[in-house]
Amino acid sequence: MDAEPRECVSERPVRRRRVQWREWGSLTLLTAAGLAGAGLWLAGLRTAAQLVWAAVTVAALLPATWATLRQLWRRQFGVDVIAVLALVGTLLVREYLAGAVIAVMVATGQTLENYAERRASRDLRALLERAPRQARRRVPGGGIEVVPLDSVAVGDRLVVGPGDVVPVDGTVEEPATLDESVVTGESQLVSRAVGERVASGVVNAGAGFGLRADRSAAESTYAGIVRLAEEATARKAPMVRLADRFAAAFVPFTLLVAGVAWVLSGQFLRAVAVLVVATPCPLLLATPIAIVSGLSRVARRGVLVRDGGSLELLGRARTLLMDKTGTLTAGRPRAAETVVAPGGDRDEVLRLAASVEQLSPHVLAAALVGQARAQGLRLAEPAEVTEEPGRGVTGRVDGRLVRVGQLAGEPPDWAQRVRERAELTGRSTVWVSDERAPLGAILLEDPVRPDARRTVRRLRQAGLDRLVMVTGDRPRTADQVARIVGVDDVIAQCSPQEKVDRVKEESGRAVTVMVGDGVNDAPALAEAHVGVAMGATGATASADVADAVLTVDRLDRLADAVEIARYARRIAVQSATVGMGLAVVAMVAAAAGGLPPVAGAFLQEGIDVLVIVNALRALRGGLRHRDVPPETRELLDRYADEHGGVRDVLTRLRDTADLVATRPDAPECVPALGEVHRRLVDEVLPHEAAEERHLYPALAGPLGSDEATSTMSRAHVEIGRLVDRIGGHLAQHPDGRLRRDEVPDLLAALYGLDAVLRLHLAQEEEDYFSLNPADDTDRR
């Protein structure tokens, strides 16, 4: 996240101490005063004790009355009315001890509620701080001046430096490489040619470029995003406390019983006694305790919920809208596949590209270098490196000129097929060429999070019955991700305004949660009943607008939060219902004259203890899944790391299958087949066998039964059978030549093994490796 202003750092410890004193000070003083009164009573100073208890009652009555009057002024009717009437009644009948007991109870409830909501904030500080305030403008006589953003006019020629935020909407005058994720949600860098339009708020990820302003700052895209977030936040109604929803029926009933008791008996003392035992301790104490317990638990799971009202709403949510990039996907590119020209070497192409890209600051360069190092390739130090914005990087590697970036000129047939393949799979392409022709292409993707599919299933189990993915990405890519994770609906190429409109539409039908990670998601997060920001990815703006923040980069913690919220809310409702039921019984006894105010106050405290103990159950339980033991986590880490080697064998398997399909008579065909079979036998099959012996039995506990891994075991059997089938074909060819009649069956075995093994690895990563709290994204 963005660093906080430096001047705030030294003030934070003092501020934290003040907040704690403000929260707990009044409760501590009232409790101490009440105990002091008890000490005076035991010492025989009964008049002094009565005065102290009366003072405690008045000290609680004044703020409670003020809060109640403010609620009534806003046409809100809550349970505090009963507490105020009970406090007034004890003063009128001089039952000061009963008043002091009620005062401590009221202060305790208010303190717990304030503690639950102390982090409530709806400011847009980070969103506004990120907004550009100045621009670099070219002057007519040459040179550049820095001017306030408000002074930029349509037609001005600006310069956007490396790493700068584009200040206004405009037209590119020089090729540019941009990170547009803050506006579109698309994680991959894009190149904009001369004459193309760009939106304000996007980041220059390449060299500086010229920009002609098409709109003023106030009319530009980023300013619109800020306004949308401000408007949505301002319209968001205050949360209604769970206790106040019960008060709609309980308060009138209490006043009716107290009035009837007074009228029938002619004794005002009975009415006071009814109010005392009816004081909504279960609502004012048990409900906040259950909610605070839920807040504490979700915080330990890496989810910071800002207030109790948000947790209550999360526990009632039925609809979930999710952004794609950074939420369901990793949010950063990964080198998924290297395709080479006929006769080329995949490792060499990747090595050349990564060597040149070592000096580039692009995120795409980091992906290429990381992939090469993960495969153990030896990178050379490049020379004569130059970077042309929007075109790519050029340099010499071992004396050889290498260009990485866009493809120049008319592509050969194989390159055209690669382009079509990348389009079909929703991947972006980085071309690697020398001075003569393209050598190959590296296909990049934004991988789906390993835990995304499991999390979607768990969210459904938790009670969310409608899951929708909204994204600014292309429809084809969005549909592919939606099918993988299993959502109900997908909205692609969605602008920030369209996201807000969709959230409004869904919110009108059910309590709605919105999850996102970028500035473009901030307005939608503010508009939703509960906005959840993926804060670990650095999305400060969306985190400040949201009601909850995921502090760990794991989507499954959202499912944990929903389950805990539902459980905490269920415990709160249960405690309130049981407590009020017992209070009704006591009210009847008090109305009949069998329960004086002091006895009623202490009986109410007994009921409090009961419901509080029940409310504390919210500190445990409620989660459907089982935690993974440390030794099982070690196994998950071990076998997840081995998947990298298995995927390398898969690449060779696919190369061999393509060779058999296109050139079965080639002399290198059988040797290639023999090499891939050797690696399957020496590397893949031992890996699968070790999982069967060690990992799968260890997962029986976390997954609930031994049967949970049975389908994976069946896949191991099929993988072994196909490897044996390929080996059987090899054994028939001592002369090193394939017969035409056996090629179809061999191809069926090769491509079948490729499909089965890829699916098997994906299932293991989604269903098993995602159980490990460590970040598995990079392993993929």
Side-chain angles (χ1 to χ4, degrees), residues 641-705:
D641 290 338
E642 290 181 6
H643 268 205
V646 176
R647 289 190 182 280
D648 184 60
V649 178
L650 260 176
T651 300
R652 306 304 171 185
L653 174 65
R654 182 59 182 259
D655 287 346
T656 303
D658 292 345
L659 179 61
V660 172
T662 56
R663 295 187 295 156
D665 298 328
E668 66 269 23
C669 195
V670 171
L673 195 61
E675 174 62 17
V676 76
H677 181 264
R678 181 194 65 77
R679 294 193 64 182
L680 287 167
V681 172
D682 293 348
E683 299 177 34
V684 176
L685 294 185
H687 167 82
E688 308 292 353
E691 285 185 331
E692 196 73 44
R693 289 193 306 270
H694 304 296
L695 179 61
Y696 288 5
L699 290 173
L703 294 177
S705 71

Side-chain angles (χ1 to χ4, degrees), residues 550-617:
L550 288 170
T551 61
V552 292
D553 194 20
R554 288 182 60 85
L555 184 60
D556 62 343
R557 299 306 172 86
L558 175 60
D560 291 349
V562 172
E563 290 180 354
I564 291 171
R566 291 196 185 280
Y567 183 71
R569 186 177 183 276
R570 186 164 63 248
I571 294 297
V573 172
Q574 182 186 90
S575 299
T577 303
V578 171
M580 287 190 300
L582 295 174
V584 169
V585 175
M587 288 164 58
V588 174
L595 201 62
V598 173
F602 282 102
L603 175 61
Q604 184 61 265
E605 289 304 310
I607 297 175
D608 293 349
V609 172
L610 175 64
V611 296
I612 287 171
V613 170
N614 184 66
L616 288 174
R617 291 170 49 217

Side-chain angles (χ1 to χ4, degrees), residues 36 56 59 139 180 231 319 530 600 605 607 659 676 762:
V56 170
V139 296
E180 298 186 346
E231 291 169 2
T319 302
V530 182
E605 289 304 310
I607 297 175
L659 179 61
V676 76

Side-chain angles (χ1 to χ4, degrees), residues 140 211 314 345 377 394 447 453 473 511 515 610 667 669 757:
L211 179 77
L314 190 61
D345 186 324
L377 302 180
T394 303
R453 188 175 178 85
D473 209 344
V511 176
V515 186
L610 175 64
C669 195
L757 196 48

Side-chain angles (χ1 to χ4, degrees), residues 433-444:
S433 311
D434 61 10
E435 60 272 17
R436 296 185 302 274
L439 304 173
I442 301 171
L443 305 185
L444 299 169

